[in-house]
Amino acid sequence: MGRVCAEIDGQSWEAACHAVTEASITWGFPLRARSLYWETVPAAEDAVGESPTDPSVVNALWGAAVSQAFAGRLDSDTSALLSGPWRMAGLSLPG
């Protein structure tokens, strides 16, 4: 999952992160995306048993989480990019 995330073009990932931030602001909860990111850090560290852990693992976990938390608020391409590393790891998400 982390390896797949690390292979995503940096500009594409940044654009998706920006879309999430904008959706968060539009939704009226401007810190929701950032808070969710920091909640994924200890979850990723627990999952891999390593602290600090590879940021790509954190990003992959955050991408999967935010694609669900912001379902219907992100375009399908953004959601697909963010959830891609999770799905490529053979893990499923609702919807």
Side-chain angles (χ1 to χ4, degrees), residues 41-55 57-58:
V41 172
E45 290 175 344
D46 287 347
V48 297
E50 173 181 287
S51 179
T53 193
D54 183 343
V57 174
V58 175

Side-chain angles (χ1 to χ4, degrees), residues 13 60 63-64 67-68 78-88 91 93:
W13 188 263
S67 74
Q68 299 302 293
T78 299
S79 289
L81 178 76
L82 292 167
S83 65
W86 182 271
R87 292 185 190 277
M88 291 293 291
L91 303 167
L93 291 169

Side-chain angles (χ1 to χ4, degrees), residues 14-82:
E14 287 298 319
C17 292
H18 180 73
V20 171
T21 299
E22 290 301 312
S24 186
I25 292 167
T26 300
W27 193 2
F29 299 97
L31 299 178
R32 179 157 289 174
R34 186 176 299 162
S35 294
L36 186 56
Y37 178 85
W38 288 109
E39 289 177 31
T40 63
V41 172
E45 290 175 344
D46 287 347
V48 297
E50 173 181 287
S51 179
T53 193
D54 183 343
S56 295
V57 174
V58 175
N59 287 341
L61 181 58
W62 177 81
V66 83
S67 74
Q68 299 302 293
F70 285 73
R73 299 183 183 279
L74 302 171
D75 67 51
S76 59
D77 290 339
T78 299
S79 289
L81 178 76
L82 292 167

